[in-house]
Amino acid sequence: MTDGPDWRPVKRVRAFEEVVAQIEEQIASGRLRAGDKLPGERALAAALGVGRPSVREAMRVLEAMGVLVANPGSGPEAGAILAGSAGPALTGVLGLHLGLANFAVDDVVETRLLIESWAVEGAARHAGEADLDRLHAIVAAMDDPDLSPDRFNELDTEFHTTIAELSGNALVTTFMRALRDTVRRHQRRAVAELGPDTGALRADHRAILAAIVARDPRAAADAVAAHLRRAYPQVSRVREDAPSPEN
Amino acid sequence: MTDGPDWRPVKRVRAFEEVVAQIEEQIASGRLRAGDKLPGERALAAALGVGRPSVREAMRVLEAMGVLVANPGSGPEAGAILAGSAGPALTGVLGLHLGLANFAVDDVVETRLLIESWAVEGAARHAGEADLDRLHAIVAAMDDPDLSPDRFNELDTEFHTTIAELSGNALVTTFMRALRDTVRRHQRRAVAELGPDTGALRADHRAILAAIVARDPRAAADAVAAHLRRAYPQVSRVREDAPSPEN
DNA sequence: ACCACAGTGTGGTCCGACCACATGATTCGA
DNA sequence: TCGAATCATGTGGTCGGACCACACTGTGGT
């Protein structure tokens, strides 16, 4: 394994990478926290001994990762502010690599099934009364007969996101939402609008909620699996976890 | 719900965002495929009617998302080439938001447990003889008594990544690796080196492999869970999926 | 007290220039 | 003739400067 000189191809370090690295370090060490505001681009460039374009490229990278937002103008809203949720960044990454065929739509849906099944089990175990009320309200709101498709989608997102939150794992929530948005954006581009009629989807939601209310994690997971299979019928690969009749 | 004027805050569209959007569109529509090379920055800027800095910032964004790599010089290796795995990009995003306390280390480990448990079940069902040989070879290689910590870690990564691949879901593989790298990088920064002695970890690997060989998905998942609990003892929150004694 | 206005600082954009690098054609020498 | 040093070319990387649009802020005037 360790035969021959075996050089590494020399690490090319670009200026903006060093800028990103330093900001990352400030974040990791806790010297920079969420809500903090970075110095202005000009000041930062001077402090780091690089040109403003390098600082700007670093900003773009951090912005793409959902770490900061940049606002022009003056006042408390202006400048580069550390904030951010990882969600949109993840959605973007997943969407791009979906387009590059680095993985398939089936993979995405299957992963969402895996994650959301787990999340709903947690929800069935730990949901409090207030949580259940929120879910009931969402389900009820989706029964409005003259609901715009966009609004319907918003409520659907809220339903699933709330369930994910009840798992108590913020990362799972983020993943779940990113996976859902990725699939949705992808099929928006290819196929027509909502495939299955909303009636079946709303019935699924009620079944999921009923299982959560009944504190039955297994039934809740099954209901979620059935729901996703109905919502994404074009996805062929849907595996079972426990009840595998094979072998 | 639709009361009042209800303005949207005006979409600020920056030039580089438009550039990114156009490249994204070319990718989504299939006109740009993996392996393709983009025009030079100057040519692209001229074609799009923007300045070169805007094109460069777009490049940085796409590069940060793991979509392309940029090489200077001349020849077939030079230029902006579409390629890329999503892995490093995901690791970067997760690490940053871990530092920003948008989610906790426990969340990350728990999510990895969830994903890898599922993956190993698939591996136990679908692994072929060649796959098992690969795993056996890795496990054997890790028994070398004078193995550098770095090399040990490489092999450990290979073991877990191979299992994830056997699930047949490329996205799960990517996630698994990103989660693992995120935790590792994080504790590198905080705590000392390898916590548990390698002997127990290697024994865990053997147990996981044995369950896969035995085609026992349930046992394999349990073995993975036990392994992760041993590897990350500082993580308090480790839930069970099915065998929950509570309730 | 109120309002209009210039001042100031922010990010956004662009231009032009130069550098380092890798390649390929060219030229010069043996 | 063949080889090797050299130059030309084109790439991304970096920089400084300049200008713009924007949003706030203080300072005038009314």
Side-chain angles (χ1 to χ4, degrees), chain B residues 54-211:
Chain B
S54 295
V55 171
R56 284 184 60 76
E57 291 181 9
M59 295 297 202
R60 292 294 91 79
V61 171
L62 294 170
E63 201 177 340
M65 294 204 271
V67 171
L68 60 83
V69 290
N71 292 96
S74 171
E77 291 298 303
I81 304 176
L82 265 64
S85 58
L90 288 179
T91 305
V93 172
L94 296 183
L96 257 333
H97 285 88
L98 201 54
L100 286 172
N102 283 347
F103 36 73
V105 190
D106 282 22
D107 289 347
V108 182
V109 174
E110 191 178 39
T111 307
R112 183 185 159 194
L113 173 56
L114 149 68
I115 288 181
E116 194 161 350
S117 297
W118 178 87
V120 79
E121 288 179 4
R125 293 201 186 90
H126 313 114
E129 286 305 317
D131 302 323
L132 298 179
D133 288 346
R134 285 172 59 199
L135 290 174
H136 273 118
I138 297 170
V139 168
M142 294 181 81
D143 281 338
D144 186 347
D146 39 79
L147 210 53
S148 72
D150 276 353
R151 181 61 187 154
F152 183 87
N153 180 58
E154 279 179 31
L155 287 169
D156 185 83
T157 300
E158 201 175 337
F159 180 77
H160 290 280
T161 302
T162 302
I163 288 178
E165 283 171 358
L166 295 185
S167 75
N169 187 320
L171 180 57
V172 161
T173 307
T174 302
F175 272 171
M176 207 283 298
R177 180 151 190 168
L179 292 171
R180 184 182 179 286
D181 290 345
T182 299
V183 176
R184 177 167 183 81
R185 187 188 298 181
H186 180 266
Q187 56 188 21
R188 274 247 197 195
R189 196 180 299 274
V191 215
E193 262 314 309
L194 286 174
D197 76 308
T198 63
L201 300 182
R202 286 185 284 115
D204 285 347
H205 286 174
R206 260 186 289 272
I208 295 170
L209 180 48

Side-chain angles (χ1 to χ4, degrees), chain A residues 41-88:
Chain A
E41 296 180 352
R42 296 166 179 82
L44 203 50
L48 294 171
V50 299
R52 184 149 85 112
S54 294
V55 171
R56 284 184 60 77
E57 291 181 11
M59 295 298 202
R60 292 294 91 80
V61 170
L62 293 171
E63 201 177 338
M65 294 204 273
V67 171
L68 60 83
V69 289
N71 292 94
S74 170
E77 290 299 304
I81 304 175
L82 266 64
S85 57

Side-chain angles (χ1 to χ4, degrees), chain A residues 99-122:
Chain A
L100 287 172
N102 283 345
F103 37 72
V105 189
D106 281 23
D107 289 347
V108 181
V109 174
E110 190 178 41
T111 307
R112 184 186 158 193
L113 173 56
L114 149 68
I115 287 181
E116 193 162 348
S117 297
W118 177 88
V120 79
E121 289 180 3

